[in-house]
Amino acid sequence: MTDNRPTIDMNPLLMPYDTPYGAIPYDRITLQHYIPAIKEAITREEEAVNAICNNSDAATFDNTIAALDYAGLLLGDIIGAFNAVANACSNDEILAIEEEMQQLYVAHKNNITLNEKLFARIKAVHESDNSGLTTEQHRLLEQTYDSFVRSGANLTGAERDEYRRLTERLATLGVKFQENSIKDTDEYTLHIENEADIEGLPEDVKDAARNNAKESGKEGWLFTLHRPSYLPFMTFCRNRELRRQMYMAYDTIGAKGNGHDNCETVKETVNCRLKLARLLGYNTYSDYVLSERMAQNTDAVFSMLGKLTWSYLPAARKDVEEVTAFAKSCEGEEFEFQPWDFAFYSEKLKEQKFDLTDEMVRPYFELNQAIYGAFYLATRLYGITFKQNHDIPLFTPDAKVWEVYDYDGTYLALLYCDFFARKGKHAGAWMDSIKPQYKDAAGTDHRPHITLSTNYRKPMPGKPTLLNHDEFNTLMHEFGHCLHGILSNVTYPSLCSPNVLWDFVEMPSQIMENFATEEEFLQHFAFHHRTGDNIPAETLRKIQQARNFNVGYQCIRQVRLGLLDQSWHNISQPFEGDVLEYEHSATESLKVLPHIDGTGITTNFGHIMSGGYAAGYYSYKWAEMLDADAFARFKEEGIMNMDTALSFRDEILSKGDSEHPMTLYLRFRGRKPLIEPLLERDGIKTICPHL
């Protein structure tokens, strides 16, 4: 019989890696290697699944549940390797590969979860006497059984066929949504030739814009909708008309009626999700998603969002009123305040109230020093250390990689960092995993390969990258996710950190943000990049005072996004209306700035339309309650107290999804989380009486 599978002889993704720590050999991989490798990995997992199904022995945890969990490791590694490339530098060829890969992957996973013989064995284990299993094994068994049921294992006939169609279509729609967002973002530029039009912008922002123009073969300055260009433009540019133009371009990404419009993609996505939920016995997609979250149901989510609204909306309105009044004091009482004015006048008001500007802060947060600060904190808290490796192949030339070691010198992980914005790179900041942590049958601990990505402005030659405090906060947030992955210590790959319930996953990241204003931490690395002087105590005091500036506005913005997400995924009938009009009506009660027709968030809201946060964006605020309550223990016992930190490591960071997150939290905190520490941290005095 002829074996028609792709040869592995020349595909580096399918050969043993002769790299340090089994790092992906990116220097030998071309884009043409990925699809053949994916197909081969799928074939190998299919063979492993068939072996499980055809095993003549009675189904047990080891020969069925554990065997299945280990079966897809090669496929997961190849997808992880590709995702790092796709997120860092997407283009048409990569997007085409991504779409084909998604289709192959979803079809393959459907073949597994809809395999009747396999589910019969899983069900037999689930219904047998499992008293001899460990806590982690019980968790894997329950998670495996539930994931099969939630993935259509109990469906039959035409319903199974419909499940396949819907999941495969949703995978295609997710790629399409992301592609439209990236291309619509990349295509817009604002070319300025008159320097008077960019008055107020910091010099480093001007330098970057001048470089953008030069690379495009133009004179003057070129601004884009990428955050390192867009945000400082909206914050500092004095030309109001140009701010309006940038705002309109940004707030209509995916909604301009051009070839990258996402409105129809949104409609089809939410309708497919509704059909999928109904097929599986749920009234709405939110009901389906939340049944496997800490919140458990929509009532709990809406209760939390309602409590936050009750407590923060008065503060948000006051924030906007104060900024509006300040703008009118500058421009005259006839001034008609608009959304493109908020960032600009907020910054001016903050300068006046706290005598604090980004330019006062940036010199003390040079990127390399900020990285050192994050590493220093991890060493102080958890005893781990970092050593840069210059020989490991990289998925993009801008990236760097560090080896991570435990306090006893044991190797823990590889940490890849990609800090700079570029055309084709996904927006925002994120952590991802190229390889998971797990222990094989022989007890060998396979350590994770983790990525940390941001979109900081790339420095001009000979100049440093200087972060404002928000950007440093972002670094701390994503580094918290990375620590969650680095410190994972479980047996089974699907349970490793950060593969936890979505409304718990943000807690280990957000708790790190608390350290970003603590003098006991900052004094060890926040030095002026030229003079070496410590950040002045007065500047630090101003940062701490300004921490809650516009906190009501920022909270209500997050609540509004959470409400929008729930509104899209609580529909009980197919949606056929206007996407932006629906968004406006769904969130009007939380509106604190004037609404501009034709603008919106949904068509560029990748978290919920192409990412993993559909019906789960509330998780950020849920986790914020957890992180404030957890950090209160650090404050009580000392923020650098290693005993407290090691308790957090042992009870939460290392455990992954080996136990329910509330069980882990109770063990660390000794009680259920309280919302009062969050309100206290934010300086909110008006507390909902039903909290």
Side-chain angles (χ1 to χ4, degrees):
M1 181 176 177
T2 302
D3 187 349
N4 293 318
R5 286 185 289 173
T7 177
I8 68 171
D9 294 341
M10 300 301 291
N11 194 322
L13 284 161
L14 298 170
M15 299 168 65
Y17 303 156
D18 58 352
T19 52
Y21 311 105
I24 304 296
Y26 284 109
D27 55 340
R28 301 198 297 274
I29 298 170
T30 68
L31 292 179
Q32 287 69 41
H33 286 125
Y34 284 105
I35 293 301
I38 286 288
K39 290 179 178 178
E40 172 66 16
I42 285 174
T43 298
R44 294 185 190 182
E45 188 172 8
E46 287 173 345
E47 291 171 349
V49 169
N50 288 335
I52 294 170
C53 293
N54 297 326
N55 191 336
S56 59
D57 294 337
T60 66
F61 176 87
D62 287 332
N63 70 20
T64 300
I65 306 302
L68 179 62
D69 205 51
Y70 290 122
L73 284 167
L74 175 62
L75 179 59
D77 287 354
I78 295 170
I79 291 174
F82 174 78
N83 284 343
V85 174
N87 291 337
C89 43
S90 187
N91 56 37
D92 287 343
E93 185 178 5
I94 288 174
L95 287 166
I97 294 171
E98 188 173 16
E99 183 171 357
E100 184 176 358
M101 186 181 292
Q102 284 276 33
Q103 292 170 342
L104 289 168
Y105 179 78
V106 172
H108 168 60
K109 285 304 177 185
N110 282 341
N111 288 338
I112 292 176
T113 56
L114 299 177
N115 184 316
E116 294 182 19
K117 290 179 67 176
L118 179 61
F119 183 58
R121 289 183 67 89
I122 293 171
K123 190 174 182 179
V125 178
H126 189 257
E127 293 176 351
S128 63
D129 178 12
N130 294 303
S131 57
L133 297 182
T134 66
T135 300
E136 185 177 355
Q137 289 170 335
H138 272 289
R139 181 71 172 173
L140 180 61
L141 173 58
E142 291 300 322
Q143 294 291 70
T144 303
Y145 178 79
D146 289 346
S147 71
F148 269 68
V149 172
R150 290 169 61 79
S151 298
N154 283 327
L155 300 177
T156 58
E159 289 184 335
R160 283 194 167 213
D161 294 338
E162 178 69 352
Y163 179 87
R164 285 182 182 272
R165 186 192 72 78
L166 288 171
T167 53
E168 290 173 11
R169 182 57 182 161
L170 282 167
T172 299
L173 289 169
V175 174
K176 183 180 180 182
F177 183 95
Q178 189 65 39
E179 177 182 356
N180 284 338
S181 293
I182 290 173
K183 289 186 173 181
D184 211 24
T185 299
D186 285 346
E187 284 190 3
Y188 179 86
T189 58
L190 177 65
H191 181 215
I192 297 174
E193 296 182 276
N194 184 355
E195 188 167 9
D197 288 334
I198 55 173
E199 185 180 355
L201 288 172
E203 288 303 317
D204 61 333
V205 178
K206 292 181 183 179
D207 288 344
R210 185 183 293 109
N211 190 61
N212 288 341
K214 184 178 180 180
E215 290 179 349
S216 300
K218 297 179 179 180
E219 298 293 327
W221 300 265
L222 198 68
F223 295 89
T224 72
L225 299 182
H226 297 283
R227 291 176 71 85
S229 180
Y230 176 78
L231 290 181
F233 190 93
M234 298 302 294
T235 303
F236 297 106
C237 182
R238 294 178 183 173
N239 188 315
R240 191 184 190 213
E241 170 55 24
L242 295 181
R243 293 202 310 270
R244 185 195 68 81
Q245 291 178 29
M246 287 285 277
Y247 175 87
M248 293 301 297
Y250 188 88
D251 271 48
T252 56
I253 291 174
K256 295 183 175 70
N258 56 18
H260 311 313
D261 195 281
N262 267 329
C263 288
E264 293 304 315
T265 305
V266 168
K267 289 182 186 180
E268 189 176 356
T269 297
V270 297
N271 287 337
C272 281
R273 287 172 177 169
L274 174 60
K275 290 179 182 178
L276 184 69
R278 289 290 179 81
L279 196 62
L280 295 170
Y282 296 88
N283 188 48
T284 70
Y285 190 74
S286 281
D287 291 333
Y288 165 67
V289 169
L290 294 172
S291 65
E292 282 294 303
R293 302 291 166 90
M294 286 183 76
Q296 297 186 324
N297 54 57
T298 54
D299 287 345
V301 172
F302 281 115
S303 174
M304 184 200 71
L305 294 177
K307 291 173 181 178
L308 290 172
T309 298
W310 201 98
S311 295
Y312 283 84
L313 188 56
R317 289 172 174 158
K318 183 178 179 181
D319 289 341
V320 173
E321 288 169 2
E322 186 178 23
V323 174
T324 302
F326 175 76
K328 290 189 174 187
S329 73
C330 297
E331 308 297 341
E333 284 300 315
E334 300 304 315
F335 183 76
E336 188 175 344
F337 192 83
Q338 296 293 349
W340 48 84
D341 299 316
F342 188 78
F344 179 79
Y345 288 103
S346 287
E347 181 66 19
K348 298 300 179 187
L349 178 58
K350 186 174 75 171
E351 291 176 18
Q352 183 185 88
K353 289 185 69 170
F354 304 104
D355 188 26
L356 181 69
T357 68
D358 281 352
E359 302 316 300
M360 294 168 59
V361 174
R362 285 184 186 276
Y364 299 94
F365 291 95
E366 188 271 328
L367 178 58
N368 291 315
Q369 277 297 107
I371 297 166
Y372 167 79
F375 289 174
Y376 166 83
L377 183 60
T379 301
R380 276 291 303 270
L381 295 179
Y382 307 117
I384 64 177
T385 55
F386 301 78
K387 178 184 177 183
Q388 189 170 355
N389 186 312
H390 298 278
D391 299 321
I392 290 178
L394 303 170
F395 52 83
T396 176
D398 282 345
K400 297 179 180 179
V401 61
W402 282 267
E403 303 162 7
V404 189
Y405 296 94
D406 212 340
Y407 59 86
D408 61 357
T410 304
Y411 163 73
L412 279 177
L414 289 183
L415 174 62
Y416 295 79
C417 295
D418 176 23
F419 293 114
F420 301 120
R422 68 184 73 89
K423 186 175 182 179
K425 185 176 182 180
H426 285 201
W430 64 92
M431 169 268 181
D432 208 347
S433 176
I434 296 177
K435 287 188 171 187
Q437 180 270 324
Y438 67 95
K439 297 171 185 173
D440 61 26
T444 302
D445 190 358
H446 296 255
R447 300 308 304 171
H449 297 181
I450 304 296
T451 65
L452 187 164
S453 300
T454 60
N455 270 280
Y456 299 143
R457 189 165 52 251
K458 195 170 186 178
M460 296 298 99
K463 293 187 177 182
T465 295
L466 304 178
L467 308 182
N468 64 29
H469 197 262
D470 285 343
E471 290 168 330
F472 176 64
N473 219 45
T474 297
L475 176 64
M476 294 296 290
H477 178 103
E478 299 306 333
F479 186 61
H481 279 307
C482 293
L483 288 175
H484 198 193
I486 288 167
L487 296 173
S488 179
N489 185 26
V490 302
T491 302
Y492 303 104
S494 67
L495 299 182
C496 74
S497 306
N499 298 332
V500 299
L501 300 189
W502 277 97
D503 45 7
F504 190 64
V505 74
E506 293 298 334
M507 196 274 272
S509 59
Q510 291 180 181
I511 197 170
M512 293 296 286
E513 297 181 36
N514 291 277
F515 291 91
T517 56
E518 292 289 340
E519 182 178 8
E520 189 177 349
F521 166 48
L522 295 178
Q523 67 181 356
H524 292 283
F525 76 93
F527 309 131
H528 195 285
H529 71 102
R530 287 179 183 159
T531 67
D533 295 336
N534 277 94
I535 186 168
E538 181 65 12
T539 301
L540 178 56
R541 183 184 63 80
K542 292 174 182 178
I543 291 173
Q544 293 168 339
Q545 288 178 335
R547 175 176 181 168
N548 288 339
F549 179 65
N550 283 341
V551 69
Y553 170 82
Q554 296 297 340
C555 178
I556 290 302
R557 179 182 179 277
Q558 286 295 96
V559 172
R560 181 170 175 258
L561 293 174
L563 179 61
L564 176 61
D565 174 31
Q566 290 302 314
S567 297
W568 279 119
H569 295 111
N570 267 289
I571 58 172
S572 56
Q573 297 295 326
F575 179 80
E576 301 297 339
D578 182 281
V579 169
L580 295 183
E581 286 182 3
Y582 178 78
E583 173 185 322
H584 175 54
S585 64
T587 60
E588 187 174 12
S589 63
L590 296 179
K591 182 183 72 173
V592 291
L593 289 173
H595 172 68
I596 306 298
D597 289 341
T599 65
I601 301 167
T602 300
T603 54
N604 191 35
F605 201 172
H607 275 77
I608 69 169
M609 291 299 167
S610 59
Y613 282 86
Y617 197 82
Y618 75 91
S619 300
Y620 283 98
K621 298 309 295 183
W622 184 278
E624 199 172 336
M625 173 185 67
L626 296 176
D627 92 69
D629 188 63
F631 192 69
R633 179 179 167 190
F634 279 87
K635 295 284 282 187
E636 293 161 6
E637 300 174 3
I639 66 165
M640 296 293 191
N641 186 316
M642 185 172 279
D643 290 338
T644 308
L646 291 179
S647 174
F648 190 71
R649 171 179 176 170
D650 293 342
E651 304 299 349
I652 291 182
L653 297 180
S654 70
K655 295 295 188 182
D657 197 35
S658 59
E659 297 183 69
H660 192 280
M662 187 56 78
T663 301
L664 301 179
Y665 191 87
L666 286 169
R667 196 176 297 145
F668 169 72
R669 198 65 176 100
R671 56 165 172 74
K672 289 185 176 181
L674 303 174
I675 199 170
E676 282 76 10
L678 172 61
L679 298 172
E680 180 180 350
R681 185 178 71 187
D682 288 349
I684 297 299
K685 305 300 182 184
T686 306
I687 300 177
C688 175
H690 304 297
L691 288 177

